[in-house]
Amino acid sequence: MKVGILGGGQLARMLALAGHPLGLRFAVIDPAPDGCAFAVAEPLCGAWNDRELLDRLARGADVVTCEFENVPVESLRYLAERVPTYPPPEAQAAKRDRLREKQLFDELGIPTAAYAAVSSPEELREAVARLGLPLVLKTRSHGYDGKGQRVLRRQEEVSSAARELGAPMIAEQFIPFLREVSIVAVRGRNGQTAYYPLAENVHTHGILFTSRCRPADPLEAPARDYARRLLDRLDYAGVLAIEFFDVGGRLLANEFAPRVHNTGHWTIEGAETSQFENHLRAILGWPLGATCPVGLAAMVNCIGGLPEREPLLELNGAHLHFYGKQPRPGRKVGHVTVRSNSEPELESVFGRVVALVRRQAHDVRPAELQRPPEAAPRQVQLR
Ligand code: AMP
């Protein structure tokens, strides 16, 4: 059986690596000739909307999936008319626009930060009047890993943002969260669902740096409930993740990802069945695998550069995943999972991995991102 994937980055690569032992073969479309999944799949290099490539994929694959949410929805719909395509293109369509995404959360009763659509200087001033400062201004589409967003703290910054407004934006109240958590969930073609434990995540400059599996977290129950609402509403098949802010023990959804997710990479070594294998099982209509954790696990992203391999290999419980990508500032080029049966051992190895990874990281990003707000934020409006 063959699985077609739109997108040839590390997520496609890890899907293929999980699928080979199940007897699956893969074909991958990506415009970049050096897509790192091409090493483990049939490479189809070309534009997302190249009809000839899409036809080849539709003819050759038993099922098609997507590792990247910025693939044109028209290409997904074109494929869906010819070959089973999961997650459904409408899930991608809802995700592509941050405003539609927030409206979907509203419709499902999933709380979010207060927000406003902003496409003119007047709308930005109205948003500031209603939401207060600081606020986070994000492009409605094509933003990820902190790209396309800035924090506005002072009136001068609002004025300059108003002058520079281009693409349609969304303004969100800045949330002084206790921590960021995410849930990775999976739904099969028959509606069967399963959930991994919550992951607790640390971002630096808008990019995920570490993620730790937190079994039995008190917020797991509401996170599961919100994920189930979204999965059912989208008649979803595959893995889906929701990222949340924990505000005083209450969850506010920040965004969802209709695909396997970076905060689920720990599942490769840390869960009975990885998110990658479960995504494949789900889209193929196969039984889902158990999502329970196997011991304790945490993950560290390598951003902008790879750490030295040998000192990491000396650490018991550290598992390396180097993606074969050219290092660039802010680019995810690998990750390291730490797995252990003892909390003190996990802490000690995790600390050493973080230090080794930091030494090589060149995660340079726009300076305006993530500076902590100087003024105490106004009281958070919960929606
Ligand atoms: P996003 O691109 O929406 O995933 O945002 C990237 C990161 O920026 C998040 O993981 C948060 O650390 C931070 N962030 C995004 N939106 C907000 C917000 N409304 N309040 C505070 N921090 C935010």
Side-chain angles (χ1 to χ4, degrees):
M1 288 190 105
K2 194 179 239 181
V3 178
I5 308 179
L6 290 161
Q10 66 268 19
L11 301 180
R13 180 179 165 111
M14 288 186 272
L15 281 169
L17 290 173
H20 283 296
L22 300 176
L24 296 171
R25 290 177 304 126
F26 293 83
V28 162
I29 295 185
D30 199 292
D34 60 349
C36 71
F38 287 166
V40 289
E42 179 193 339
L44 301 174
C45 187
W48 303 120
N49 55 0
D50 180 330
R51 283 283 160 100
E52 210 182 302
L53 280 191
L54 295 175
D55 285 335
R56 265 176 74 186
L57 199 68
R59 275 196 306 273
D62 297 280
V63 64
V64 167
T65 192
C66 202
E67 66 129 30
F68 178 58
E69 51 254 35
N70 289 330
V71 172
V73 177
E74 301 68 47
S75 300
L76 292 170
R77 290 192 182 123
Y78 181 83
L79 282 166
E81 284 164 13
R82 288 159 179 81
V83 57
T85 299
Y86 300 105
E90 294 324 303
Q92 305 281 345
K95 165 65 210 177
R96 286 172 64 92
D97 179 348
R98 284 191 193 266
L99 182 62
R100 271 186 79 181
E101 183 184 22
K102 287 272 194 301
Q103 288 166 340
L104 181 60
F105 284 140
D106 287 350
E107 178 195 322
L108 296 172
I110 302 172
T112 67
Y115 64 91
V118 168
S119 47
S120 66
E122 296 71 50
E123 281 179 351
L124 179 58
R125 279 187 278 277
E126 280 164 27
V128 172
R130 186 159 74 78
L131 307 175
L133 291 177
L135 58 73
V136 187
L137 198 59
K138 302 179 178 179
T139 52
R140 275 172 56 177
S141 55
H142 295 286
Y144 62 94
D145 282 350
K147 293 188 183 102
Q149 64 170 272
R150 60 203 283 190
V151 181
L152 305 181
R153 284 167 299 271
R154 289 183 291 270
Q155 278 302 335
E156 308 88 84
E157 289 169 316
V158 176
S159 309
S160 72
R163 280 194 299 276
E164 290 157 20
L165 270 183
M169 312 287 276
I170 182 168
E172 291 176 16
Q173 191 172 42
F174 187 98
I175 303 299
F177 51 79
L178 292 174
R179 56 182 188 143
E180 293 188 82
V181 295
S182 58
I183 188 153
V184 174
V186 57
R187 185 175 190 268
R189 274 161 66 165
N190 62 358
Q192 181 194 0
T193 53
Y195 306 86
Y196 290 95
L198 278 198
E200 191 176 304
N201 310 315
V202 174
H203 292 79
T204 52
H205 310 278
I207 306 178
L208 182 72
F209 182 44
T210 64
S211 199
R212 311 180 64 147
C213 168
R214 295 288 190 212
D217 191 287
L219 294 181
E220 186 175 315
R224 277 180 178 229
D225 175 35
Y226 297 150
R228 189 196 44 74
R229 293 184 205 181
L230 196 54
L231 290 168
D232 289 347
R233 166 69 172 73
L234 296 171
D235 196 14
Y236 198 86
V239 161
L240 172 146
I242 312 182
E243 294 184 67
F244 299 97
F245 303 125
D246 171 356
V247 186
R250 183 157 181 235
L251 291 178
L252 296 184
N254 178 32
E255 60 179 356
F256 77 92
R259 54 171 168 77
V260 286
H261 197 248
N262 199 171
T263 65
H265 288 2
W266 64 268
T267 61
I268 297 176
E269 291 86 10
E272 190 62 40
T273 315
S274 78
Q275 63 161 348
F276 299 100
E277 181 175 331
N278 256 338
H279 182 76
L280 296 169
R281 289 179 182 227
I283 63 171
L284 284 157
W286 293 350
L288 301 182
T291 48
C292 50
V294 181
L296 307 164
M299 186 233 44
V300 184
N301 264 343
C302 308
I303 302 163
L306 283 174
E308 274 184 77
R309 196 181 270 122
E310 282 175 32
L312 284 167
L313 291 174
E314 275 169 16
L315 297 175
N316 203 12
H319 301 268
L320 273 59
H321 298 261
F322 287 2
Y323 304 150
K325 288 164 69 173
Q326 280 303 317
R328 268 208 306 266
R331 195 178 203 203
K332 294 172 182 167
V333 289
H335 75 265
V336 182
T337 303
V338 181
R339 213 204 62 77
S340 172
N341 291 326
S342 108
E343 188 76 49
E345 186 185 63
L346 186 91
E347 286 306 324
S348 139
V349 179
F350 179 73
R352 282 145 82 187
V353 170
V354 166
L356 287 165
V357 166
R358 275 227 172 96
R359 208 177 293 165
Q360 286 303 318
H362 305 288
D363 52 339
V364 182
R365 315 110 271 169
E368 77 269 16
L369 276 173
Q370 302 294 308
R371 258 188 287 149
E374 282 149 24
R378 287 189 351 184
Q379 200 186 358
V380 181
Q381 291 171 25
L382 300 178
R383 292 177 61 90

